[in-house]
Amino acid sequence: MTDEEKKNQEKAKQIYKEQQEYIEKLITEKKLPELKALTRKQRKELDKSHNNYLKEVFTDKRSPLVVQESCYDWILDNVYKSFNFSDLPNNVCLVFGRMIYDLTYGDKLSEKN
């Protein structure tokens, strides 16, 4: 790995850390709901919706970014039905959705709230 690649990797890690801290702040302030991994049932429903980007074949009609964003929208709309994300900035919603997705597929065991 080149020095430039190492710098970029470190920068990406720092951005990811800052995003997580910001989302956690919003959760503490009750501006976002608590993070929770999908249950197996919810993950299977996500698969059936053809929005699970780890399991989709990408085509000219649906690019990886489109499927990823659809995945996060599906999570927000179906797992957090009672929370209204409509007026939040899109980037906050995308990072929140990504964090839930990461919890779902992560190695760290968690409790379902």
Side-chain angles (χ1 to χ4, degrees):
M1 183 179 293
T2 67
D3 286 342
E4 187 67 26
E5 290 171 329
K6 287 178 186 176
K7 285 180 189 176
N8 288 339
Q9 190 176 44
E10 286 303 314
K11 185 177 179 180
K13 284 181 185 179
Q14 183 61 34
I15 290 169
Y16 188 81
K17 181 182 175 194
E18 290 170 4
Q19 289 174 340
Q20 286 183 306
E21 290 171 353
Y22 183 69
I23 294 297
E24 289 167 4
K25 178 181 176 265
L26 293 176
I27 292 168
T28 301
E29 295 172 352
K30 306 290 187 207
K31 294 178 181 175
L32 283 174
E34 291 292 323
L35 289 168
K36 56 186 175 184
L38 300 182
T39 62
R40 181 172 183 266
K41 180 180 178 181
Q42 290 168 328
R43 195 266 312 148
K44 289 175 85 171
E45 291 170 0
L46 174 63
D47 293 350
K48 284 182 188 176
S49 75
H50 300 285
N51 289 311
N52 190 338
Y53 61 85
L54 288 179
K55 298 180 178 183
E56 283 301 302
V57 176
F58 300 112
T59 65
D60 291 339
K61 294 179 182 177
R62 287 187 83 201
S63 71
L65 183 58
V66 168
V67 177
Q68 188 176 36
E69 189 172 47
S70 295
C71 174
Y72 299 155
D73 281 341
W74 186 95
I75 290 169
L76 300 183
D77 294 342
N78 292 279
V79 177
Y80 294 93
K81 291 179 183 179
S82 64
F83 191 87
N84 184 359
F85 292 92
S86 297
D87 293 327
L88 288 171
N90 192 60
N91 59 348
V92 169
C93 294
L94 290 176
V95 171
F96 186 76
R98 184 198 69 223
M99 289 173 73
I100 296 162
Y101 195 81
D102 290 349
L103 280 173
T104 301
Y105 281 95
D107 291 339
K108 184 178 176 183
L109 296 179
S110 65
E111 288 184 21
K112 173 74 174 162
N113 293 338

Short mmCIF file of all heavy atoms in Angstrom, two decimals, residues 49-91:
data_model
loop_
_atom_site.label_atom_id
_atom_site.label_comp_id
_atom_site.label_asym_id
_atom_site.label_seq_id
_atom_site.Cartn_x
_atom_site.Cartn_y
_atom_site.Cartn_z
N SER A 49 -37.26 -7.88 -0.78
CA SER A 49 -37.54 -6.59 -1.43
C SER A 49 -36.51 -6.27 -2.52
O SER A 49 -36.66 -5.28 -3.23
CB SER A 49 -37.54 -5.46 -0.39
OG SER A 49 -36.22 -5.13 0.01
N HIS A 50 -35.49 -7.12 -2.66
CA HIS A 50 -34.41 -6.94 -3.65
C HIS A 50 -33.63 -5.64 -3.41
O HIS A 50 -33.17 -5.00 -4.36
CB HIS A 50 -34.94 -6.99 -5.08
CG HIS A 50 -35.60 -8.29 -5.39
ND1 HIS A 50 -34.89 -9.45 -5.61
CD2 HIS A 50 -36.91 -8.62 -5.48
CE1 HIS A 50 -35.74 -10.44 -5.83
NE2 HIS A 50 -36.96 -9.96 -5.76
N ASN A 51 -33.48 -5.27 -2.14
CA ASN A 51 -32.73 -4.08 -1.79
C ASN A 51 -31.51 -4.37 -0.93
O ASN A 51 -30.84 -3.45 -0.50
CB ASN A 51 -33.63 -3.08 -1.06
CG ASN A 51 -34.63 -2.44 -1.97
OD1 ASN A 51 -34.29 -1.97 -3.04
ND2 ASN A 51 -35.89 -2.46 -1.58
N ASN A 52 -31.24 -5.65 -0.68
CA ASN A 52 -30.05 -6.00 0.12
C ASN A 52 -28.85 -5.99 -0.82
O ASN A 52 -28.62 -6.93 -1.58
CB ASN A 52 -30.22 -7.36 0.78
CG ASN A 52 -29.13 -7.62 1.79
OD1 ASN A 52 -28.05 -7.03 1.74
ND2 ASN A 52 -29.40 -8.54 2.71
N TYR A 53 -28.06 -4.93 -0.76
CA TYR A 53 -27.01 -4.73 -1.76
C TYR A 53 -25.89 -5.75 -1.71
O TYR A 53 -25.15 -5.89 -2.67
CB TYR A 53 -26.47 -3.30 -1.74
CG TYR A 53 -25.83 -2.84 -0.45
CD1 TYR A 53 -24.49 -3.10 -0.19
CD2 TYR A 53 -26.57 -2.12 0.47
CE1 TYR A 53 -23.91 -2.64 0.97
CE2 TYR A 53 -25.98 -1.66 1.62
CZ TYR A 53 -24.65 -1.92 1.88
OH TYR A 53 -24.08 -1.46 3.03
N LEU A 54 -25.76 -6.50 -0.63
CA LEU A 54 -24.77 -7.58 -0.62
C LEU A 54 -25.23 -8.78 -1.43
O LEU A 54 -24.44 -9.64 -1.77
CB LEU A 54 -24.48 -8.03 0.82
CG LEU A 54 -23.69 -7.06 1.68
CD1 LEU A 54 -23.50 -7.63 3.08
CD2 LEU A 54 -22.34 -6.75 1.05
N LYS A 55 -26.51 -8.82 -1.74
CA LYS A 55 -27.07 -10.00 -2.41
C LYS A 55 -27.67 -9.70 -3.77
O LYS A 55 -28.26 -10.58 -4.38
CB LYS A 55 -28.14 -10.61 -1.51
CG LYS A 55 -27.57 -11.09 -0.18
CD LYS A 55 -28.62 -11.70 0.68
CE LYS A 55 -28.02 -12.20 1.96
NZ LYS A 55 -29.01 -12.87 2.78
N GLU A 56 -27.54 -8.48 -4.24
CA GLU A 56 -28.14 -8.10 -5.52
C GLU A 56 -27.12 -8.12 -6.65
O GLU A 56 -25.96 -7.76 -6.46
CB GLU A 56 -28.77 -6.71 -5.43
CG GLU A 56 -30.08 -6.69 -4.71
CD GLU A 56 -31.13 -7.56 -5.33
OE1 GLU A 56 -31.46 -7.38 -6.52
OE2 GLU A 56 -31.62 -8.45 -4.63
N VAL A 57 -27.59 -8.50 -7.81
CA VAL A 57 -26.79 -8.40 -9.02
C VAL A 57 -27.08 -7.02 -9.60
O VAL A 57 -28.23 -6.65 -9.79
CB VAL A 57 -27.19 -9.50 -10.03
CG1 VAL A 57 -26.43 -9.33 -11.34
CG2 VAL A 57 -26.96 -10.87 -9.43
N PHE A 58 -26.04 -6.27 -9.85
CA PHE A 58 -26.22 -4.91 -10.35
C PHE A 58 -26.34 -4.92 -11.87
O PHE A 58 -25.67 -5.69 -12.55
CB PHE A 58 -25.08 -4.01 -9.90
CG PHE A 58 -24.98 -3.95 -8.40
CD1 PHE A 58 -23.91 -4.51 -7.74
CD2 PHE A 58 -25.97 -3.34 -7.65
CE1 PHE A 58 -23.83 -4.47 -6.36
CE2 PHE A 58 -25.89 -3.28 -6.27
CZ PHE A 58 -24.82 -3.85 -5.63
N THR A 59 -27.20 -4.07 -12.37
CA THR A 59 -27.45 -3.99 -13.80
C THR A 59 -27.31 -2.53 -14.24
O THR A 59 -27.08 -1.65 -13.43
CB THR A 59 -28.88 -4.46 -14.13
OG1 THR A 59 -29.80 -3.54 -13.53
CG2 THR A 59 -29.14 -5.86 -13.63
N ASP A 60 -27.48 -2.31 -15.51
CA ASP A 60 -27.47 -0.95 -16.02
C ASP A 60 -28.65 -0.14 -15.48
O ASP A 60 -28.62 1.07 -15.42
CB ASP A 60 -27.51 -0.94 -17.55
CG ASP A 60 -26.22 -1.46 -18.16
OD1 ASP A 60 -25.19 -1.45 -17.46
OD2 ASP A 60 -26.23 -1.88 -19.32
N LYS A 61 -29.70 -0.84 -15.09
CA LYS A 61 -30.90 -0.17 -14.62
C LYS A 61 -30.81 0.20 -13.14
O LYS A 61 -31.42 1.16 -12.70
CB LYS A 61 -32.13 -1.04 -14.85
CG LYS A 61 -32.44 -1.24 -16.32
CD LYS A 61 -33.63 -2.11 -16.52
CE LYS A 61 -33.85 -2.32 -18.01
NZ LYS A 61 -34.96 -3.20 -18.29
N ARG A 62 -30.06 -0.56 -12.36
CA ARG A 62 -29.93 -0.29 -10.92
C ARG A 62 -28.45 -0.32 -10.56
O ARG A 62 -27.86 -1.37 -10.40
CB ARG A 62 -30.68 -1.32 -10.09
CG ARG A 62 -32.19 -1.14 -10.15
CD ARG A 62 -32.90 -2.05 -9.19
NE ARG A 62 -32.90 -1.44 -7.86
CZ ARG A 62 -33.07 -2.12 -6.74
NH1 ARG A 62 -33.23 -3.42 -6.77
NH2 ARG A 62 -33.08 -1.51 -5.58
N SER A 63 -27.88 0.82 -10.40
CA SER A 63 -26.47 0.91 -10.04
C SER A 63 -26.28 0.56 -8.57
O SER A 63 -27.24 0.57 -7.79
CB SER A 63 -25.96 2.32 -10.31
OG SER A 63 -26.50 3.22 -9.36
N PRO A 64 -25.05 0.26 -8.16
CA PRO A 64 -24.79 -0.06 -6.74
C PRO A 64 -25.27 1.05 -5.79
O PRO A 64 -25.83 0.75 -4.74
CB PRO A 64 -23.27 -0.21 -6.69
CG PRO A 64 -22.89 -0.64 -8.07
CD PRO A 64 -23.84 0.08 -8.98
N LEU A 65 -25.07 2.30 -6.15
CA LEU A 65 -25.51 3.39 -5.28
C LEU A 65 -27.03 3.42 -5.13
O LEU A 65 -27.55 3.65 -4.04
CB LEU A 65 -25.00 4.74 -5.79
CG LEU A 65 -25.32 5.94 -4.92
CD1 LEU A 65 -24.77 5.79 -3.51
CD2 LEU A 65 -24.79 7.21 -5.56
N VAL A 66 -27.75 3.17 -6.21
CA VAL A 66 -29.21 3.15 -6.16
C VAL A 66 -29.69 2.03 -5.24
O VAL A 66 -30.57 2.24 -4.40
CB VAL A 66 -29.81 2.99 -7.58
CG1 VAL A 66 -31.29 2.68 -7.52
CG2 VAL A 66 -29.55 4.24 -8.40
N VAL A 67 -29.10 0.85 -5.35
CA VAL A 67 -29.51 -0.28 -4.51
C VAL A 67 -29.14 -0.01 -3.05
O VAL A 67 -29.94 -0.28 -2.15
CB VAL A 67 -28.90 -1.61 -5.01
CG1 VAL A 67 -29.27 -2.76 -4.08
CG2 VAL A 67 -29.37 -1.91 -6.42
N GLN A 68 -27.98 0.56 -2.81
CA GLN A 68 -27.56 0.85 -1.44
C GLN A 68 -28.51 1.87 -0.80
O GLN A 68 -28.95 1.68 0.33
CB GLN A 68 -26.13 1.37 -1.44
CG GLN A 68 -25.54 1.50 -0.04
CD GLN A 68 -24.09 1.92 -0.08
OE1 GLN A 68 -23.69 2.70 -0.94
NE2 GLN A 68 -23.31 1.41 0.84
N GLU A 69 -28.82 2.93 -1.50
CA GLU A 69 -29.75 3.93 -0.97
C GLU A 69 -31.14 3.33 -0.75
O GLU A 69 -31.78 3.60 0.27
CB GLU A 69 -29.82 5.14 -1.90
CG GLU A 69 -30.59 6.29 -1.31
CD GLU A 69 -30.49 7.55 -2.16
OE1 GLU A 69 -30.66 7.46 -3.38
OE2 GLU A 69 -30.26 8.60 -1.57
N SER A 70 -31.58 2.49 -1.67
CA SER A 70 -32.88 1.82 -1.51
C SER A 70 -32.87 0.91 -0.29
O SER A 70 -33.88 0.79 0.41
CB SER A 70 -33.22 1.00 -2.76
OG SER A 70 -33.41 1.83 -3.86
N CYS A 71 -31.74 0.27 -0.04
CA CYS A 71 -31.60 -0.60 1.13
C CYS A 71 -31.79 0.21 2.41
O CYS A 71 -32.57 -0.17 3.29
CB CYS A 71 -30.22 -1.25 1.11
SG CYS A 71 -29.83 -2.23 2.57
N TYR A 72 -31.10 1.32 2.51
CA TYR A 72 -31.20 2.15 3.71
C TYR A 72 -32.59 2.74 3.86
O TYR A 72 -33.13 2.80 4.97
CB TYR A 72 -30.14 3.24 3.71
CG TYR A 72 -28.72 2.72 3.68
CD1 TYR A 72 -27.69 3.49 3.18
CD2 TYR A 72 -28.40 1.44 4.15
CE1 TYR A 72 -26.38 3.02 3.16
CE2 TYR A 72 -27.10 0.96 4.11
CZ TYR A 72 -26.09 1.75 3.62
OH TYR A 72 -24.80 1.29 3.60
N ASP A 73 -33.21 3.16 2.76
CA ASP A 73 -34.58 3.65 2.82
C ASP A 73 -35.52 2.56 3.31
O ASP A 73 -36.42 2.81 4.12
CB ASP A 73 -35.05 4.16 1.44
CG ASP A 73 -34.52 5.54 1.10
OD1 ASP A 73 -34.10 6.27 2.02
OD2 ASP A 73 -34.52 5.88 -0.10
N TRP A 74 -35.33 1.33 2.81
CA TRP A 74 -36.17 0.21 3.24
C TRP A 74 -36.05 0.02 4.75
O TRP A 74 -37.06 -0.15 5.44
CB TRP A 74 -35.79 -1.09 2.50
CG TRP A 74 -36.73 -2.20 2.81
CD1 TRP A 74 -37.81 -2.58 2.07
CD2 TRP A 74 -36.71 -3.07 3.94
NE1 TRP A 74 -38.47 -3.63 2.68
CE2 TRP A 74 -37.80 -3.94 3.84
CE3 TRP A 74 -35.87 -3.19 5.05
CZ2 TRP A 74 -38.08 -4.93 4.79
CZ3 TRP A 74 -36.15 -4.16 6.00
CH2 TRP A 74 -37.24 -5.02 5.87
N ILE A 75 -34.83 0.06 5.25
CA ILE A 75 -34.61 -0.12 6.70
C ILE A 75 -35.34 0.97 7.49
O ILE A 75 -36.07 0.67 8.43
CB ILE A 75 -33.10 -0.13 7.02
CG1 ILE A 75 -32.45 -1.42 6.49
CG2 ILE A 75 -32.86 0.01 8.53
CD1 ILE A 75 -30.94 -1.42 6.53
N LEU A 76 -35.16 2.22 7.09
CA LEU A 76 -35.80 3.32 7.82
C LEU A 76 -37.31 3.21 7.76
O LEU A 76 -38.00 3.42 8.76
CB LEU A 76 -35.33 4.67 7.26
CG LEU A 76 -33.84 4.96 7.33
CD1 LEU A 76 -33.55 6.37 6.81
CD2 LEU A 76 -33.26 4.76 8.69
N ASP A 77 -37.85 2.87 6.59
CA ASP A 77 -39.30 2.82 6.41
C ASP A 77 -39.95 1.60 7.05
O ASP A 77 -41.11 1.66 7.46
CB ASP A 77 -39.65 2.83 4.91
CG ASP A 77 -39.29 4.13 4.22
OD1 ASP A 77 -39.09 5.15 4.92
OD2 ASP A 77 -39.18 4.13 2.98
N ASN A 78 -39.23 0.48 7.15
CA ASN A 78 -39.84 -0.76 7.62
C ASN A 78 -39.45 -1.17 9.03
O ASN A 78 -40.22 -1.83 9.70
CB ASN A 78 -39.52 -1.90 6.64
CG ASN A 78 -40.21 -1.70 5.33
OD1 ASN A 78 -41.38 -2.00 5.18
ND2 ASN A 78 -39.51 -1.13 4.36
N VAL A 79 -38.28 -0.80 9.47
CA VAL A 79 -37.83 -1.17 10.82
C VAL A 79 -38.22 -0.10 11.82
O VAL A 79 -38.51 -0.39 12.97
CB VAL A 79 -36.31 -1.43 10.83
CG1 VAL A 79 -35.81 -1.74 12.23
CG2 VAL A 79 -35.97 -2.57 9.87
N TYR A 80 -38.25 1.14 11.38
CA TYR A 80 -38.57 2.27 12.25
C TYR A 80 -39.84 2.96 11.76
O TYR A 80 -39.87 4.16 11.51
CB TYR A 80 -37.41 3.27 12.25
CG TYR A 80 -36.16 2.72 12.89
CD1 TYR A 80 -35.18 2.10 12.12
CD2 TYR A 80 -35.95 2.81 14.26
CE1 TYR A 80 -34.03 1.59 12.71
CE2 TYR A 80 -34.81 2.30 14.85
CZ TYR A 80 -33.84 1.70 14.07
OH TYR A 80 -32.71 1.20 14.65
N LYS A 81 -40.90 2.19 11.64
CA LYS A 81 -42.16 2.70 11.07
C LYS A 81 -42.73 3.89 11.84
O LYS A 81 -43.35 4.76 11.24
CB LYS A 81 -43.20 1.58 11.03
CG LYS A 81 -42.89 0.51 10.03
CD LYS A 81 -43.93 -0.59 10.04
CE LYS A 81 -43.52 -1.68 9.08
NZ LYS A 81 -44.48 -2.77 9.05
N SER A 82 -42.53 3.93 13.14
CA SER A 82 -43.14 5.00 13.93
C SER A 82 -42.30 6.28 13.98
O SER A 82 -42.73 7.28 14.55
CB SER A 82 -43.39 4.51 15.36
OG SER A 82 -42.16 4.21 15.99
N PHE A 83 -41.12 6.26 13.35
CA PHE A 83 -40.27 7.46 13.36
C PHE A 83 -40.33 8.12 12.00
O PHE A 83 -40.21 7.47 10.97
CB PHE A 83 -38.82 7.09 13.71
CG PHE A 83 -37.96 8.28 13.99
CD1 PHE A 83 -37.91 8.82 15.26
CD2 PHE A 83 -37.23 8.88 12.98
CE1 PHE A 83 -37.13 9.94 15.53
CE2 PHE A 83 -36.44 10.00 13.24
CZ PHE A 83 -36.39 10.53 14.52
N ASN A 84 -40.49 9.44 11.98
CA ASN A 84 -40.57 10.19 10.72
C ASN A 84 -39.19 10.76 10.37
O ASN A 84 -38.72 11.70 11.01
CB ASN A 84 -41.60 11.31 10.84
CG ASN A 84 -41.79 12.06 9.54
OD1 ASN A 84 -41.15 11.77 8.53
ND2 ASN A 84 -42.68 13.02 9.56
N PHE A 85 -38.55 10.19 9.36
CA PHE A 85 -37.24 10.64 8.90
C PHE A 85 -37.35 11.70 7.80
O PHE A 85 -36.33 12.21 7.35
CB PHE A 85 -36.45 9.44 8.33
CG PHE A 85 -36.04 8.44 9.36
CD1 PHE A 85 -36.85 7.35 9.64
CD2 PHE A 85 -34.84 8.55 10.04
CE1 PHE A 85 -36.47 6.40 10.58
CE2 PHE A 85 -34.44 7.62 10.98
CZ PHE A 85 -35.27 6.54 11.26
N SER A 86 -38.54 12.02 7.37
CA SER A 86 -38.76 12.84 6.17
C SER A 86 -38.05 14.18 6.18
O SER A 86 -37.58 14.63 5.14
CB SER A 86 -40.25 13.06 5.95
OG SER A 86 -40.89 11.82 5.72
N ASP A 87 -37.99 14.85 7.31
CA ASP A 87 -37.42 16.19 7.35
C ASP A 87 -35.96 16.22 7.78
O ASP A 87 -35.38 17.30 7.89
CB ASP A 87 -38.26 17.09 8.26
CG ASP A 87 -39.65 17.35 7.68
OD1 ASP A 87 -39.76 17.40 6.43
OD2 ASP A 87 -40.60 17.48 8.46
N LEU A 88 -35.37 15.06 8.01
CA LEU A 88 -33.95 15.01 8.36
C LEU A 88 -33.10 15.11 7.10
O LEU A 88 -33.53 14.68 6.02
CB LEU A 88 -33.64 13.70 9.09
CG LEU A 88 -34.18 13.58 10.50
CD1 LEU A 88 -33.98 12.16 11.01
CD2 LEU A 88 -33.51 14.57 11.42
N PRO A 89 -31.89 15.62 7.23
CA PRO A 89 -31.01 15.66 6.06
C PRO A 89 -30.75 14.25 5.52
O PRO A 89 -30.60 13.29 6.29
CB PRO A 89 -29.71 16.27 6.60
CG PRO A 89 -30.12 17.03 7.82
CD PRO A 89 -31.28 16.25 8.41
N ASN A 90 -30.71 14.13 4.20
CA ASN A 90 -30.53 12.82 3.58
C ASN A 90 -29.24 12.15 4.03
O ASN A 90 -29.22 10.94 4.27
CB ASN A 90 -30.56 12.94 2.06
CG ASN A 90 -30.67 11.60 1.39
OD1 ASN A 90 -31.63 10.87 1.61
ND2 ASN A 90 -29.68 11.26 0.58
N ASN A 91 -28.16 12.92 4.18
CA ASN A 91 -26.89 12.30 4.57
C ASN A 91 -26.97 11.70 5.98
O ASN A 91 -26.39 10.66 6.24
CB ASN A 91 -25.72 13.27 4.43
CG ASN A 91 -25.84 14.52 5.27
OD1 ASN A 91 -26.89 14.84 5.82
ND2 ASN A 91 -24.76 15.27 5.34
#
